[in-house]
Amino acid sequence: MTRAAPRSRRARRLRAVLVRLATSLLVIWGAATVSFAALQLTPGSVADALVGTSIVSPQVKAQIIADYGLDRPVLTQYLSYLGMVVRGDLGHSYQLNESVGTAIWAQLGASLQLTAAGMGLALVLATVLALLTAKRSRWIRGVSSGAELVGTSVPIFWVGILLLTVFSFQLGWFPAAGGDGLAGLILPAISMALPVTALLAQVMREGLERALDEPFVLTARARGMSDGAVRLRHALRHALLPVITLAGWLFGLLLGAMVVIEQVFSRQGLGTLMLGAVTGKDLPVVMGVVLLTASVYVVINTLLDLLYLVIDPRLREAT
């Protein structure tokens, strides 16, 4: 009986890993398929986008179509692209005249820096806000809930424009466009963080209030532990699990918000690259960015699943 239990546990863990891997591959495949179909349905043709405003003869245009394989059936193009991806080849950009991997790598650092800064700032602000308002007086929670409602309702581009107007155009504290280093990162990161902070704070405060009603909190306070120590050392851990689940989804939301924020603040990054590729129907670049963002989303959520086991040891015993 004792030998069978570890084998059964290993089998469950292996099955969970395989299911997770299959789900991850399905998510990436689905993202690539949907983006391919959406780009095919957008007005205009790839050949016209390649030609641009140049006047070319029908023979030259036909040669361009043949060179890029655009004369093949759509299904053939789709299957061919999937085969390239499996081999690790993201293709060649129609517009940039360079490999998709090179184009993405050149913009990846700026986008990851912005997304990480926005998510990190949101987690810090949400934690502080939840710790300060959970189980407090009604008016404090009412003010906090009202601010959170505004934060989730206001469009992210409007927040960016407002921050630019006040802190760049009027006060001149930060660059109005682009900007390198910390000064150029602060306003975009705040714009991305505010709506995420509002959502995370709501969930974290509810978790903290439930945890503060548990018997272990009364025991800790009976031993002379201060209110702040109880919140930080005991209640916060129990409130983090739902926050981690939501944070994984919100990280994917921030990856999509890059397009808007990079345009508002005139920043380079994957969002700007993606927008130009969609406008020019540069299919390899669009698919490459989609595959990358889907893969990052899957990896982040997988790491968060592992973090569950660190936060709550009971989950390790159940697997």
Side-chain angles (χ1 to χ4, degrees):
M1 191 70 179
T2 56
R3 294 181 179 177
R7 286 199 295 267
S8 177
R9 185 175 299 174
R10 286 195 296 269
R12 289 199 303 270
R13 289 178 178 175
L14 178 60
R15 184 165 58 251
V17 169
L18 293 177
V19 169
R20 182 69 183 183
L21 179 61
T23 304
S24 301
L25 293 176
L26 186 62
V27 168
I28 296 173
W29 170 78
T33 301
V34 170
S35 61
F36 181 91
L39 200 61
Q40 293 294 328
L41 294 174
T42 56
S45 66
V46 177
D48 291 337
L50 288 171
V51 172
T53 58
S54 304
I55 300 176
V56 298
S57 64
Q59 292 80 9
V60 173
K61 187 173 182 179
Q63 185 62 45
I64 292 174
I65 293 174
D67 290 342
Y68 285 98
L70 303 176
D71 52 346
R72 297 177 297 172
V74 174
L75 180 59
T76 303
Q77 295 181 44
Y78 169 70
L79 294 176
S80 176
Y81 179 78
L82 290 183
M84 292 173 58
V85 170
V86 171
R87 296 192 301 270
D89 183 7
L90 295 178
H92 199 81
S93 170
Y94 298 157
Q95 291 184 319
L96 303 177
N97 196 28
E98 63 180 356
S99 70
V100 173
T102 301
I104 290 177
W105 183 256
Q107 306 297 334
L108 179 61
S111 293
L112 288 181
Q113 184 185 51
L114 175 59
T115 305
M119 195 68 208
L121 180 60
L123 287 171
V124 172
L125 293 177
T127 302
V128 173
L129 188 60
L131 288 171
L132 292 177
T133 58
K135 285 291 184 179
R136 301 302 186 188
S137 61
R138 182 175 299 179
W139 74 268
I140 292 179
R141 288 185 297 175
V143 171
S144 177
S145 298
E148 291 159 6
L149 178 61
V150 172
T152 56
S153 304
V154 175
I156 192 171
F157 71 88
W158 190 87
V159 174
I161 293 173
L162 180 62
L163 291 176
L164 275 176
T165 302
V166 175
F167 295 102
S168 294
F169 301 146
Q170 295 183 0
L171 299 177
W173 291 356
F174 301 99
D180 297 326
L182 183 61
L185 184 64
I186 290 177
L187 293 185
I190 293 175
S191 301
M192 298 184 74
L194 287 181
V196 176
T197 299
L199 290 172
L200 290 176
Q202 291 175 1
V203 175
M204 189 177 295
R205 183 170 57 250
E206 292 178 0
L208 278 171
E209 291 179 345
R210 287 194 300 269
L212 290 171
D213 288 331
E214 294 293 330
F216 66 83
V217 172
L218 296 176
T219 303
R221 285 175 173 165
R223 292 175 179 174
M225 187 174 291
S226 65
D227 181 69
V230 168
R231 291 169 181 262
L232 286 172
R233 295 179 57 183
H234 296 286
L236 184 59
R237 171 176 291 189
H238 290 265
L240 281 180
L241 285 178
V243 171
I244 290 174
T245 301
L246 182 61
W249 177 77
L250 290 175
F251 189 86
L253 184 66
L254 289 183
L255 289 175
M258 287 188 308
V259 179
V260 176
I261 292 299
E262 288 176 0
Q263 292 303 303
V264 170
F265 291 93
S266 301
R267 288 179 58 90
Q268 293 298 312
L270 292 179
T272 302
L273 179 66
M274 181 73 161
L275 183 61
V278 170
T279 304
K281 293 184 75 70
D282 196 341
L283 179 61
V285 173
V286 173
M287 300 289 284
V289 174
V290 168
L291 285 172
L292 175 65
T293 53
S295 300
V296 170
Y297 177 77
V298 166
V299 169
I300 291 297
N301 279 271
T302 301
L303 293 176
L304 291 177
D305 286 346
L306 297 176
L307 188 59
Y308 292 161
L309 305 178
V310 177
I311 294 176
D312 193 344
R314 294 172 299 179
L315 297 176
R316 291 197 296 266
E317 298 174 359
T319 56

